[in-house]
Amino acid sequence: MEKQKVFSIISTVAIFLLFEVLTFVSFGLSNSYIVYAFLGLFVLILLVVAHFQSLKGEGLTNLLIFIIPILLFSLINALSSLNTATHTSILLRILIPLGLMSFATLGYLSSLGNGFKISTAIILIYGGLALITLISYFATMIQYVPFYTLIYGNSYIYYDGAKSSLPIGQTAYFLMGFSIREVTVDYFSLYPSVLSTSVIALLFISPKEQTKKFVLFAVYAFIGIFALITMPTRMMILTDVLIAISLVVIILFFKGKIKSKVIKTTLLVLSVLFLIAFLILFINAQSSLSAFAWLRNIIESVPLFNRIFNTNRLVSRYNTILDGCLNFGAWLGFMPDTQFSAALHYDFLTNSILFDTILFSGFFGLVLFIVIMVILVKRIIKYVQVSNDEVMIKSLVIAFLLVFFGYSLINYDSQPYVYYSDLIPYYQHGLFLVCLFLYGYVYFKSFPAKVITKEEIIEDSNLVEEEAKVDEEQNN
């Protein structure tokens, strides 16, 4: 019995620390993946010690199936050729797999902990997001004014006669660690974009019966949406429209206005269209494959196709990456043969986690990333069907994951700093670690809860009595 009490106390402490870590990481305090990884690993050790007996049989099998793709993906990133080229420290390489697996496993095991409530975790995650967004927004407005991205979109700042590397309309100020730094608007807008998904909660909370919670989520939503409205850019407007559409679909689904069959069919159609477009883009980018020269000629001869697959600003970057990804040395990530300015930017970055994964992790890493995303989508579908979580929680979890990955698919800036170079791959970003936590939680909750029979209850009670007798005999 004493052992059970000790394990129960450890579990309670672990869950308390888990809530603190989620808030800490969402707020981005320290802005250090190394710190995040150590914190996540420490809490995970406590949780495993407290619930080691639960990790057996089917539960252990499900955990291994869940964690193996993440383990392989994180190991590839740790061994990446790009990390070698950019002189990534040995400590950081070691912590890449440990940190990613820790947060994913914490999500999986969190439901076993004493006192864990996903509703509390969600409030704390959004709270951290709201705080860093608010601080950074005020820091930006102190320097500029609302709608400065439009008013001064093409203006530049001069320091000692030197022209800034980016126009004012593409820069913002953000709390990076313990200081305010100049970053790109693309990096800044990730936070209010994800934060804006909290508006969904207002449609599932009664303002009369749950006034405090309603006001809290209203504040979260206001901060996120207001920041997006007053700092518009072309890409931000595009992502805002996509976010709005996504949130409307999620709301209509959970309100029963759209059937699950329609959602599944739409996802299937969109996936097939995306796959076809990606294959065409991939083949078209391979300048060394003479067998597909006819396809490249057709694309170049049709202005619309040429615009879509060759000449627009986004695709031109993607083609540079895809053209070199099949080379033997690029299978575990690579440094493209493009201009690089050590003082400013990595010019080869695409601002898309899909294509940047090829840079960071190579072809094998891309395959594993896609596998993880496919598993996540399947588990989300099961989670919606079998989980007993309230509708508001389900909608917020799905919206958080969808908006983070959707935004990052076209607009994640891995080199956010304006005046010096410091690569922050998406897998080292605090919000990605939060997504891994939610992924693990969704995975665990996507399996039907085991029904405990009367015989099992009697067996467990007998086992407890036998342990108590043994302890009493040892004390005597």
Side-chain angles (χ1 to χ4, degrees), residues 213-247:
K213 183 181 288 188
F214 184 87
V215 171
L216 187 63
F217 277 100
V219 171
Y220 292 166
F222 175 79
I223 293 172
I225 295 173
F226 188 77
L228 292 177
I229 291 175
T230 57
M231 296 175 60
T233 64
R234 285 185 180 181
M235 291 303 298
M236 195 185 295
I237 291 173
L238 173 61
T239 55
D240 289 349
V241 171
L242 295 176
I243 290 171
I245 294 173
S246 301
L247 296 185

Side-chain angles (χ1 to χ4, degrees), residues 17-18 20-26 32-44 47 66-67 70 95-110 427 429-441:
L17 292 177
L18 174 59
E20 297 298 316
V21 169
L22 289 175
T23 307
F24 185 92
V25 174
S26 299
S32 170
Y33 176 83
I34 293 176
V35 174
Y36 300 158
F38 273 123
L39 290 174
L41 185 60
F42 176 72
V43 177
L44 177 62
L47 208 53
F66 159 68
I67 207 66
I70 297 175
L95 288 176
I96 286 173
L98 292 178
L100 297 183
M101 288 192 300
S102 293
F103 276 86
T105 310
L106 280 173
Y108 186 91
L109 299 179
S110 60
Y427 58 81
H429 196 282
L431 293 187
F432 181 77
L433 296 179
V434 174
C435 286
L436 279 181
F437 171 83
L438 295 177
Y439 178 19
Y441 175 81

